[in-house]
Amino acid sequence: MDLIWDGIKEAVRLIFTGDAYVYEVALTSLYVSGTATLIAVVIGFGIASLLVFRAPPGRTLALSAFNAGMALPPVAVGLLVAIMLWRTGPLGALGLLFSPTAIIIAQAVIATPVVTALSVVALQSVNPRLRTQILALGASRWQAGLLLFREARLSLLAAVMAGFGAAISEVGATIMVGGNIRGSTRTLTSATVLEVQHGDFETAIAFSLILLAIIFAVVGTLTVLQQRRSVS
Amino acid sequence: MSESRIGLRGVLVAKGRNTVLDIERLDVRAGEVLAVVGPNGAGKSTLIGVLGLLEKPTRGEVSFEGEPVSGPYLAYRRRMAVVFQEPLLLEATVEANVTTGLVLRGVPREERRERARRWMERFGIGRLAGRSARTLSGGEAQRTSLARALVLEPEVLLLDEPFAALDEPTRQGLMDDLARVLGESGAATVLVTHDRNEALRLGDRLAVLMDGRIRQEGTPQGIFAAPADEEVAAFVGTETIAPGRVEEVADGLASVKVGERMIEAGGDVAAGDGVLVCVRPEDVTIGPAGDGGPTSARNRLPATVARITPAGPWVRVELDAGFPLVALITKQSLDELSLAPGSAVVARLKATAVHLIRR
C-alpha cells in the first residue's frame, strides 16, 4: 500500500511542480491523440454520412467492416503501419517511422472505425423522414446534411469521445511505430510502460494520473457540451 | 389549362411490380385547394412526394406553371412547402423551427423574426416561441409545422394527412385555423387525407384516389351526390349500395326494381339497364308503419328494423326493406318512434336522393 500512496504523493508533486519531463510527455500525448482524433472524425463523419444518406451498394458489408474495426487489435495496426513505413516498405521513402506522425497515423487507423461505426448509429437514429422534411423545406443536400448532423449532435459527440479515448489510451502500436523516443515520441502510455519496466512506480503513477485527468477533462468538456440543452 | 400552378403529366410510379401511382393528368390552380381522398395505401403520400419533387416518378413529369419541371429541383422546391402527418420538428425552439426554411433561403434575420412572429400568432403559438420543440404537445407541434411551411408564403402547399395524428378537439381547432389561412393564401394547395370530412371542409375540389388512380374528380357536392362507381360510393359514405334493374323511364324518373321492391330515382339511365342503387344514410327518414302522412318523398318502403347502433350524436339504423337499407336518425327520433330490432316501419327517401350507377 505504501507503494501506491508514495506513488500518488510523488505524482502530485511532479504534476504541481511543473516537472518538464512529465509535461513534455503529456503535451506529446495530447498533440498526437488530438490530431489522430481530428483525422478520424473528418474521415469517420464523411464515411458515415455517405453510408447513411447515399445508401451505396455494399453498405451492409462496409458497416460490418467498420463494426469489426472497432475491435481492431492495436498491435496488428501497429505492425501494419510499421511495415508500411519501414525503410524498405512502400512508404519508407517518407522517413516517417519513429516520428510523432507515425503514431498519429496508427492512432487514426485505430480511432477511425470507432468514430465511423458510432456516427452511423448516431445518424441512423435520426428519423429518416426528417431528411425528407428538411429537403422539402428547401434545403440543398449540404444544408440538409448539416442540419441532420446538428440534429444528431449528442450521439455524434459520443462517437468523438470514444474515438479520442481509443487513441489516447493506445500503447502497443504507439511503441511499435513511435519507438518511445524521449522528447519526440514518448506518450503518457508508452512512458508509463517504460517507467514500470524501470521500477519507477512514482513516475508511472504520475503519468497514469495525468492520462486519467486528460481523459476526464476532454470527455468531461464534451459531455458538458453534449448535455447543454443548447437551442439556437 | 394555362393557369395550372402545379400538375402531373402522364405520371407513373412503380415499386417493384406494383404500380403505386398512375395519373394521366392532374392540375391545381393558384388559390385552389384540391383535396385528394383515398383509403390507406391508395398512393396519397407518393402523390405528395412526386408533386413536392422529393420522389422521382418512374415515368412522366411534374409541371410547374404549365412548363415541365427541369434542371435542379432545389429552385422549384424553394417555391413549395410540405407538411407531413408527423410534425418532424428539429431539436430547437419553436421559433427556430418556424424560421428553418427562411434560414435555408438566406432571408435576413430581421425579416425572419418578423415573419415568424406573424405566422406563429396566426397559428396561436406566439407564446411558445422560446419553448423547446420537444416539450410541445401533438397539436402544438403540428401548429409549429404548419407555421414553418406557411411562413415561406409558398406558391405550392402540399399537406400530407396533417391532422391524422391529432385527437378530435385538437383536430377541429387546427382545421378551423388552417381553413382561414388557406382562404387567404394564394397557394395552389393539395391536401391528401383519408378523412372525407376533412376533404369536404377544406377542399374546393375533390379527387378520389384509389389503387394509385384518380377514380373521380369534381366538386365535393358532385362526388358525394353522384359517386362514379361502387368503391367511390362506399368510400364517400354511401352506405346503401344495392343492385337493381331499370324497369322503365318516364319524365326523367326511373323505376328501378331492387329485390322485390320498386324504387324511383333520377338519373341518366335506360330501361333494362343494370344499376347500383346508392343511398346516403342521412337521406333516409323513418316513420311509423302504415304512415300515410304528407311527404315529398316518392319512395315509401315498408321495412323492419334489423339493428340499431349509436354513431356519435346520431343513431345508425339498419333496415331490411327487401334489401339492406341504412338510415341515420337522431336519438330523439329513435325515442319518439320507440324503435327496437324487429319494429315495423316505413322508410322514406326522395327520388333525388337516390343515385344510380350503371353497371
Side-chain angles (χ1 to χ4, degrees):
Chain A
M1 284 309 284
D2 279 355
L3 187 66
I4 297 176
W5 182 237
D6 289 345
I8 291 174
K9 275 196 292 190
E10 174 63 7
V12 170
R13 194 191 63 78
L14 284 173
I15 293 166
F16 286 98
T17 54
D19 184 84
Y21 173 50
V22 168
Y23 275 81
E24 174 200 294
V25 169
L27 284 176
T28 304
S29 254
L30 265 182
Y31 161 68
V32 165
S33 302
T35 311
T37 307
L38 196 69
I39 294 170
V41 164
V42 170
I43 298 175
F45 280 10
I47 296 177
S49 41
L50 189 79
L51 289 178
V52 175
F53 301 144
R54 288 293 170 88
R59 176 165 80 150
T60 310
L61 191 71
L63 258 177
S64 316
F66 284 112
N67 283 334
M70 288 209 285
L72 213 54
V75 171
V77 174
L79 178 63
L80 182 74
V81 174
I83 292 171
M84 297 295 280
L85 300 180
W86 199 254
R87 226 165 354 102
T88 52
L91 302 174
L94 299 175
L96 289 175
L97 197 63
F98 305 134
S99 73
T101 309
I103 308 180
I104 291 173
I105 293 171
Q107 292 191 351
V109 171
I110 290 161
T112 299
V114 176
V115 176
T116 308
L118 294 179
S119 301
V120 166
V121 176
L123 293 176
Q124 281 180 334
S125 68
V126 176
N127 185 341
R129 293 179 52 78
L130 188 61
R131 181 161 188 267
T132 311
Q133 172 71 79
I134 290 171
L135 289 173
L137 282 169
S140 66
R141 282 186 186 285
W142 280 105
Q143 287 175 323
L146 284 175
L147 276 175
L148 289 167
F149 265 81
R150 196 168 155 271
E151 205 58 20
R153 59 192 180 269
L154 300 185
S155 329
L156 286 171
L157 271 175
V160 176
M161 286 185 241
F164 179 73
I168 199 162
S169 54
E170 202 290 314
V171 58
T174 300
I175 293 178
M176 216 183 290
V177 304
N180 207 3
I181 303 163
R182 182 170 178 171
S184 163
T185 58
R186 186 160 301 169
T187 65
L188 287 166
T189 51
S190 63
T192 307
V193 172
L194 190 75
E195 300 307 334
V196 170
Q197 282 167 347
H198 290 172
D200 184 352
F201 289 102
E202 290 88 351
T203 317
I205 291 175
F207 285 139
S208 290
L209 280 181
I210 294 175
L211 182 61
L212 288 174
I214 287 177
I215 292 175
F216 191 79
V218 171
V219 173
T221 308
L222 290 176
T223 308
V224 168
L225 269 178
Q226 185 192 48
Q227 295 303 316
R228 206 178 55 187
R229 299 266 183 248
S230 73
V231 280
S232 58
Chain B
M1 204 190 288
S2 61
E3 48 187 334
S4 165
R5 170 72 59 80
I6 192 161
L8 298 179
R9 301 286 179 267
V11 162
L12 183 104
V13 178
K15 288 182 184 158
R17 287 181 173 191
N18 295 337
T19 300
V20 183
L21 201 64
D22 183 359
I23 296 178
E24 198 37 54
R25 192 181 173 110
L26 183 76
D27 286 293
V28 191
R29 293 185 301 271
E32 177 189 45
V33 180
L34 173 70
V36 178
V37 285
N40 291 332
K44 302 193 297 292
S45 292
T46 306
L47 172 67
I48 291 290
V50 171
L51 282 170
L53 302 172
L54 299 165
E55 196 170 328
K56 259 196 153 101
T58 313
R59 69 169 160 72
E61 60 199 12
V62 178
S63 78
F64 204 97
E65 291 177 334
E67 301 289 325
V69 165
S70 62
Y73 282 176
L74 184 60
Y76 291 101
R77 276 210 294 263
R78 290 197 169 163
R79 298 165 73 180
M80 307 186 195
V82 189
V83 176
F84 295 100
Q85 177 176 340
E86 300 166 78
L88 295 168
L89 300 179
L90 297 170
E91 249 192 69
T93 60
V94 167
E95 182 172 356
N97 267 288
V98 172
T99 54
T100 304
L102 299 173
V103 173
L104 295 171
R105 286 163 177 74
V107 174
R109 178 185 290 264
E110 269 316 298
E111 187 186 338
R112 281 201 313 251
R113 301 200 67 159
E114 191 276 318
R115 279 166 75 171
R117 217 179 343 252
R118 189 149 39 95
W119 282 96
M120 287 189 293
E121 286 306 327
R122 295 197 71 172
F123 279 103
I125 49 170
R127 73 203 150 78
L128 304 174
R131 276 264 293 276
S132 161
R134 92 171 90 191
T135 65
L136 300 178
S137 70
E140 290 166 344
Q142 198 56 298
R143 283 173 181 274
T144 305
S145 177
L146 281 163
R148 174 174 66 176
L150 281 148
V151 75
L152 301 172
E153 286 154 21
E155 294 169 58
V156 172
L157 178 62
L158 305 171
L159 306 169
D160 187 356
E161 301 260 17
F163 312 111
L166 303 178
D167 59 53
E168 196 49 35
T170 309
R171 181 208 300 258
Q172 291 303 334
L174 190 46
M175 234 192 295
D176 286 342
D177 286 351
L178 185 62
R180 199 163 43 236
V181 167
L182 290 181
E184 296 162 17
S185 152
T189 303
V190 178
L191 164 76
V192 309
T193 173
H194 67 275
D195 184 314
R196 53 190 190 235
N197 295 321
E198 263 174 47
L200 272 180
R201 176 79 176 283
L202 297 170
D204 299 319
R205 202 153 54 88
L206 211 63
V208 181
L209 188 70
M210 283 176 163
D211 304 324
R213 289 183 174 77
I214 292 186
R215 295 286 189 85
Q216 194 172 4
E217 206 180 331
T219 62
Q221 298 74 14
I223 291 179
F224 276 66
D229 60 43
E230 192 177 347
E231 279 182 293
V232 173
F235 187 73
V236 300
T238 306
E239 297 214 32
T240 298
I241 303 172
R245 181 163 296 280
V246 180
E247 296 282 302
E248 67 168 327
V249 180
D251 300 333
L253 216 53
S255 301
V256 184
K257 188 165 190 192
V258 184
E260 293 304 312
R261 296 286 167 74
M262 291 302 290
I263 289 182
E264 296 200 340
D268 183 19
V269 289
D273 282 351
V275 291
L276 286 173
V277 174
C278 302
V279 183
R280 299 183 64 81
E282 58 269 30
D283 289 332
V284 181
T285 58
I286 298 177
D291 176 25
T295 169
S296 60
R298 295 199 68 102
N299 297 299
R300 294 152 170 272
L301 306 166
T304 48
V305 175
R307 201 159 159 239
I308 299 173
T309 40
W314 307 93
V315 181
R316 189 169 176 278
V317 182
E318 289 171 45
L319 301 166
D320 178 4
F323 60 94
L325 181 66
V326 180
L328 211 54
I329 63 170
T330 61
K331 286 188 176 129
Q332 203 186 354
S333 309
L334 182 79
D335 293 340
E336 280 170 14
L337 293 164
S338 50
L339 294 183
S343 303
V345 292
V346 169
R348 297 175 295 220
L349 60 152
K350 293 184 178 183
T352 49
V354 181
H355 171 63
L356 301 179
I357 297 173
R358 225 179 311 192
R359 301 172 85 189

